[in-house]
Amino acid sequence: MVELEITTLLNVMVVLIAFLLLSAVFSKIAIHEMNLPTQAATPAEPDKPPVILEVIVRKNSLEITDGKTIAASIAKVNNKYDLQSLSEKLYRLKSSYRDKQDVTVLIEPDIEYEDLIHVMDAVKSTDVRLPGKKDPQRVILFPQVSIGDAP
């Protein structure tokens, strides 16, 4: 009767496991909290209609709308979305609607996922150079982002 010699097999397995653990790629996962668009809720004050703010991501531009009319249109620059201009325009809108926390990002089909994430980041916050300050300050714009299909 011959005994099975598995010592060399175990040695190879130990080296292989160490090699696989050292060469594994560990990735950082970031989570974006999103909401689905909802129907306009009944306003708390009957005199004031609710403010609807939408950012539409088109193939060639970004549009800021109030749900009915286009407030601003930002064309692509060098085949990339001009996120700095988007943040600046939203910063100006935020000064008019200080209590507004939500925005809806509407996207056309075939828009790159990475572009959507960059637009969502630009909508949530921006860096602003305040008078008298050396370094730019992080300003929260519209942290509650809902996504949907563009009309």
Side-chain angles (χ1 to χ4, degrees):
M1 174 118 18
V2 177
E3 284 190 35
L4 203 55
E5 182 62 41
I6 61 170
T7 307
T8 39
L9 178 65
L10 289 176
N11 289 340
V12 169
M13 294 303 285
V14 167
V15 170
L16 184 62
I17 289 172
F19 174 74
L20 290 175
L21 285 175
L22 289 174
S23 65
V25 176
F26 297 100
S27 61
K28 180 181 174 185
I29 298 174
I31 298 174
H32 281 276
E33 290 188 29
M34 296 180 288
N35 304 313
L36 294 175
T38 59
Q39 296 294 331
T42 329
E45 298 177 27
D47 298 340
K48 286 186 174 181
V51 177
I52 298 172
L53 186 60
E54 297 174 341
V55 175
I56 302 174
V57 182
R58 304 230 184 255
K59 290 183 183 182
N60 297 321
S61 66
L62 297 168
E63 295 176 354
I64 302 172
T65 71
D66 62 0
K68 296 178 182 99
T69 60
I70 297 174
S73 182
I74 305 164
K76 276 186 167 181
V77 176
N78 295 330
N79 209 19
K80 292 186 178 182
Y81 292 107
D82 189 359
L83 301 174
Q84 183 64 34
S85 294
L86 174 67
S87 292
E88 289 171 4
K89 290 181 188 298
L90 290 174
Y91 180 69
R92 283 188 233 122
L93 277 172
K94 183 66 175 181
S95 63
S96 300
Y97 306 109
R98 294 199 183 275
D99 295 333
K100 181 103 174 120
Q101 295 292 313
D102 62 312
V103 66
T104 304
V105 176
L106 304 174
I107 55 173
E108 284 187 338
D110 300 327
I111 298 295
E112 296 287 328
Y113 177 75
E114 186 176 340
D115 291 333
L116 171 64
I117 295 300
H118 290 308
V119 169
M120 288 173 56
D121 288 339
V123 164
K124 286 183 177 184
S125 64
T126 188
D127 292 329
V128 176
R129 219 176 266 285
L130 299 173
K133 300 282 184 178
K134 272 173 108 174
D135 298 325
Q137 300 272 322
R138 174 70 65 179
V139 175
I140 303 298
L141 297 174
F142 303 99
Q144 298 174 0
V145 178
S146 301
I147 60 170
D149 291 329

